[in-house]
Amino acid sequence: MADLEQQSWPQACLYVVATPIGNLADISLRAVFTLNQVDVIAAEDTRLSRVLLNAWGINTPMMPAHRHNEARAAQEIIRLLQEGKRVALISDAGAPAVSDPGGRIVREVRQQGLLVRPIPGASAVITALMGSGVSSDENPTFAFAGFVPQKSAARQHWLRKWGAMDAPVIMFESPHRIQAFCHDLLRVCGADRQLTVARELTKRFEQIVTLPIGELADWFGQDVHRQLGEFVLILEAAPEADEDEQMVKATELLKVLLQTVSVKDSVKIASQLTGLARDVVYSRALELKNA
């Protein structure tokens, strides 16, 4: 800790502190020092956060800063910072302002010209990626979609959008909706696409498996405990569409479009929907028009 004391700890600063996502030992030394150093800790749930603070002997006063009082909490935090106080912002688990409350607070503090310093730590997204093997140094691309919508219709629409991406997509789901999610995912993405299920990350019963979507229902049905815990789900990248298949699709589109709109507009629409080069679609459109 001696080295930490010699580092820069400015006053009138909001420290945005990542907390463990499950295992209390995953908190960093810098985070512990920060939470001891500040004048007040703004917590998403003060009761849950008290467990973490007690485990590390941290007695700093707390104030609530959750989704339902974020606007009011932001103004209180700004007032404290303007008085020269140090404030830490934490969520129940993981990083504040990343699929957790806190984004508005950080934004309003920065808009006031006040200092914000992030204190990084455990991340459910990165933890799941580390255990899944879906990314690599040659192809590190992935997309983070956050929490899955609760209603089936909205969920299917959302899955169609994210499921079309040419990169792995990471999403969060709760235990009481995981089966409904798998049902809709099968309907939207088909049985062969791979999904990584990561549950209870960093905890005693941590589990990471990768299965075809068509096998998910059986896997969850084999053990009721597999439906428990918070889920991080990684959907593999959408398969590249075969160019011949896209040309078939473009041809069907052109047959309909050419009956009512110009060749130019038909080509524009068909090219956008299939991803084929416009000159290729134009040649096909002329063939159909002349025929």
Side-chain angles (χ1 to χ4, degrees), residues 150-255:
Q150 298 182 18
K151 303 293 185 180
S152 180
R155 185 163 53 235
Q156 290 183 33
H157 176 77
W158 188 86
L159 286 170
R160 288 189 189 96
K161 179 184 76 171
W162 288 105
M165 294 201 65
D166 59 353
V169 177
I170 302 172
M171 55 198 81
F172 293 158
E173 186 55 289
S174 60
H176 59 278
R177 288 195 299 270
I178 188 64
Q179 288 183 301
F181 165 84
C182 292
H183 177 269
D184 287 339
L185 185 67
L186 177 61
R187 187 171 181 177
V188 171
C189 295
D192 296 331
R193 193 104 163 252
Q194 298 280 314
L195 183 80
T196 296
V197 178
R199 55 176 293 272
E200 294 290 85
L201 288 173
T202 76
K203 300 178 184 177
R204 179 180 179 183
F205 297 107
E206 177 181 87
Q207 195 168 27
I208 303 174
V209 298
T210 301
L211 298 167
I213 292 171
E215 296 179 13
L216 288 171
D218 287 343
W219 185 80
F220 278 110
Q222 290 169 11
D223 185 348
V224 68
H225 294 98
R226 292 175 179 173
Q227 301 173 34
L228 304 178
E230 298 299 319
F231 291 89
V232 182
L233 308 165
I234 307 178
L235 179 64
E236 75 168 356
E240 292 186 13
D242 184 85
E243 192 165 332
D244 291 338
E245 292 180 7
Q246 292 296 74
M247 181 54 73
V248 170
K249 181 179 177 180
T251 299
E252 295 304 313
L253 286 168
L254 290 168
K255 287 179 180 178

Side-chain angles (χ1 to χ4, degrees), residues 54-129:
N54 287 344
W56 287 96
I58 299 168
N59 299 309
T60 304
M62 284 192 289
M63 61 172 281
H66 47 74
R67 184 168 287 106
H68 304 294
N69 80 333
E70 194 166 359
R72 186 169 68 253
Q75 295 308 307
E76 175 64 14
I77 289 170
I78 288 170
R79 184 187 66 79
L80 291 168
L81 296 175
Q82 289 172 339
E83 292 177 358
K85 301 288 179 62
R86 298 184 182 99
V87 180
L89 177 65
I90 62 175
S91 58
D92 293 345
V98 182
S99 288
D100 271 335
R104 179 172 183 171
I105 292 172
V106 172
R107 186 167 57 251
E108 293 191 15
V109 167
R110 295 183 72 241
Q111 287 172 351
Q112 291 295 318
L114 296 163
L115 190 59
V116 175
R117 284 200 171 170
I119 308 297
S123 162
V125 172
I126 300 303
T127 301
L129 279 173

